[in-house]
Amino acid sequence: MFAGRAVLILFVVTSGACGGDSASVALPEPDGDEFAADVYPILLRDCGSSGCHGASERFFRVVGPGRTRLSPEQAPLDPATAQEILESYRRARAMLEPDSGDLPLLLRKPLALAAGGATHGGHDVFGRNVYASRDDANYRVLERWASGRSSGAEP
Amino acid sequence: MNTRAARRLSAAFVAGSALCGRPGGVRAFSDAATFAAPVLEAGGGGRYYTGSLAEGYGCDTCHRGGSAPLVTIAGLPARYVPRATYELRVSWPRELEHAAAALELTDERGHGAGTLALPTSGNYVEDEVCEPRDLEQLAAQLYAADRERTVAATPDCGASLLRVQWTAPEQSVGPVWLTGSVVRTNHDGNFTGDGARNFQRTIPAFGSSTPDIVTKGGCSVLAPASRGGASRAGLLVLTLWWLRRVQRVLRRVKQPSTKRWRS
């Protein structure tokens, strides 16, 4: 009887652990090549300043040329390395919430409140968020990539 | 060549050497030309960090941790007259070893307003040329940006003045915004320990029907000229009160003396 209970508990615990794994697997896998070619330059330009999402303490972090480098060995003007692009891809992908009707954080945070965005510390000197509307050309690139329509491998 | 110039040349040599033989402490944005370069080439991707209505971000987006430089702005007209030319001067202390600046003028939509020109050769003043001064190389450069904007910028080369000639737009475009940013760096190869100061000035159009209302960050605020109007109204109220008092005193004077000097 006791052994049966122990087996049951073990089953529940391991099932829970598997459930946790499956949740992380459900994270979208947007295309890596598209990220490197189109999304990465936008994130570097609009988010990656050293005082913003180039800072090491940020959960969402973008690193690359002219901004914070992944390794102190890299000179600021050196081209982006594969590791930097991959690190930025993984951090950006982590901002894509799975199975949610709302916009993922990657799209919600930089968007103006009036356009359906969220509060964001990174407003400019006029108090404006990064993108005034979803019609912004750069925002649309992020949106297309985040939608996962062009899913693929890591960069 | 003075000591400061020699020090600067040495620093340039060290920086250049570092660039050739990495790893190095080269500053990515010490030259504003970099701002126009594509992001993947370590450029700004078109961001000049002037804090303008077109961009919204100044040098302090990256450069932080140190004291901001004192910035002096001169030559701004109280109101601009279309097609008129003004000499605008932005300066910072000469004592700063490493400083750079950028500015632009836009309308309220963030589009370029008017045209900018730099001083011509032979008309440079000492503070606006790079070190060593005897080469007479003007520090400032003009850069064409999106939305028909022109950015004037001075790299970190020893200058302490950014002087431009601004010719106002052909027609009134509403208030014009002068925005810019000056950064002083500690030259340590990263963004920390530096200080930046952004500046904004609004120039209403001469003869504009609503010259005293300017928009700032989405809010309407009263310009100082309108506050002058409020004080005029206060003066009128004071005058009326004073007249009423005089009237009361005169009325008493007309009454019989027995009443006034009753014992």
Side-chain angles (χ1 to χ4, degrees):
Chain A
M1 189 66 183
F2 175 77
R5 258 188 224 155
V7 168
L8 186 64
I9 289 168
L10 191 64
F11 174 75
V12 169
V13 168
T14 51
S15 301
C18 289
D21 277 344
S22 66
S24 67
V25 168
L27 203 65
E29 291 183 41
D31 188 59
D33 290 338
E34 184 185 344
F35 178 85
D38 302 331
V39 176
Y40 177 60
I42 290 172
L43 295 180
L44 267 183
R45 179 185 186 273
D46 295 345
C47 316
S49 301
S50 61
C52 304
H53 289 284
S56 59
E57 67 270 19
R58 296 302 185 112
F59 169 71
F60 170 52
R61 189 176 180 219
V62 189
V63 288
R67 278 81 182 166
T68 311
R69 304 312 302 253
L70 191 58
S71 161
E73 296 299 307
Q74 290 167 271
L77 300 178
D78 281 353
T81 64
Q83 289 83 5
E84 283 178 326
I85 297 172
L86 181 61
E87 171 72 5
S88 302
Y89 170 87
R90 287 177 173 164
R91 296 287 185 122
R93 185 179 162 227
M95 296 286 284
L96 304 176
E97 296 166 17
D99 304 325
S100 169
D102 296 322
L103 289 172
L105 279 175
L106 186 74
L107 298 177
R108 198 153 21 111
K109 291 294 277 184
L111 187 62
L113 277 173
T119 51
H120 184 210
H123 52 73
D124 70 9
V125 297
F126 300 100
R128 303 174 301 189
N129 211 334
V130 182
Y131 303 114
S133 80
R134 297 176 74 161
D135 293 330
D136 186 284
N138 283 358
Y139 186 84
R140 286 164 74 171
V141 172
L142 299 184
E143 198 173 37
R144 189 186 64 216
W145 175 76
S147 72
R149 284 196 289 270
S150 51
S151 58
E154 288 186 331
Chain B
M1 189 187 302
N2 60 29
T3 318
R4 194 176 163 208
R7 252 202 325 264
R8 196 171 295 280
L9 271 182
S10 308
F13 176 75
V14 170
S17 308
L19 179 62
C20 297
R22 52 178 299 236
V26 187
R27 283 131 295 278
F29 292 133
S30 59
D31 186 349
T34 321
F35 294 127
V39 174
L40 291 181
E41 293 172 20
R47 279 193 193 280
Y48 285 85
Y49 298 95
T50 58
S52 74
L53 282 155
E55 301 191 355
Y57 297 95
C59 298
D60 59 337
T61 306
C62 293
H63 297 275
R64 294 176 181 192
S67 60
L70 183 72
V71 175
T72 306
I73 300 166
L76 275 184
R79 288 158 195 253
Y80 72 86
V81 175
R83 294 188 299 279
T85 298
Y86 305 93
E87 184 181 289
L88 312 180
R89 295 179 299 279
V90 174
S91 59
W92 51 96
R94 296 178 79 173
E95 298 74 38
L96 294 182
E97 278 285 316
H98 300 285
L103 67 81
E104 65 174 307
L105 291 112
T106 64
D107 64 16
E108 293 210 298
R109 297 172 306 142
H111 290 251
T115 56
L116 288 181
L118 296 177
T120 52
S121 180
N123 295 307
Y124 303 154
V125 298
E126 188 184 353
D127 287 345
E128 65 188 352
V129 298
C130 293
E131 290 186 345
R133 307 264 190 230
D134 50 5
L135 292 180
E136 292 199 350
Q137 186 199 344
L138 183 67
Q141 295 281 322
L142 296 180
Y143 303 92
D146 64 347
R147 304 196 205 187
E148 297 162 349
R149 294 180 298 137
T150 304
V151 174
T154 291
D156 170 18
C157 71
S160 59
L161 169 68
L162 176 53
R163 189 168 60 114
V164 293
Q165 271 198 341
W166 173 58
T167 300
E170 292 283 314
Q171 297 173 334
S172 170
V173 293
V176 167
W177 288 66
L178 166 72
T179 55
S181 198
V182 178
V183 59
R184 59 169 291 277
T185 74
N186 59 6
H187 216 242
D188 69 350
N190 61 46
F191 298 108
T192 57
D194 304 337
R197 187 177 300 280
N198 301 332
F199 56 87
Q200 299 172 352
R201 297 288 185 279
T202 313
I203 317 168
F206 186 81
S208 159
S209 58
T210 55
D212 299 327
I213 303 291
V214 296
T215 303
K216 186 180 179 186
C219 303
S220 287
V221 293
L222 286 175
S226 291
R227 288 198 288 275
S231 63
R232 275 196 297 274
L235 191 67
L236 185 67
V237 169
L238 197 69
T239 309
L240 285 172
W241 173 81
W242 184 78
L243 282 172
R244 280 181 72 97
R245 268 194 79 89
V246 168
Q247 208 175 15
R248 235 178 264 167
V249 169
L250 285 174
R251 217 178 286 150
R252 278 185 195 170
V253 169
K254 281 177 186 169
Q255 285 174 352
S257 59
T258 50
K259 207 167 186 178
R260 282 167 47 219
W261 298 102
R262 194 168 47 186
S263 57

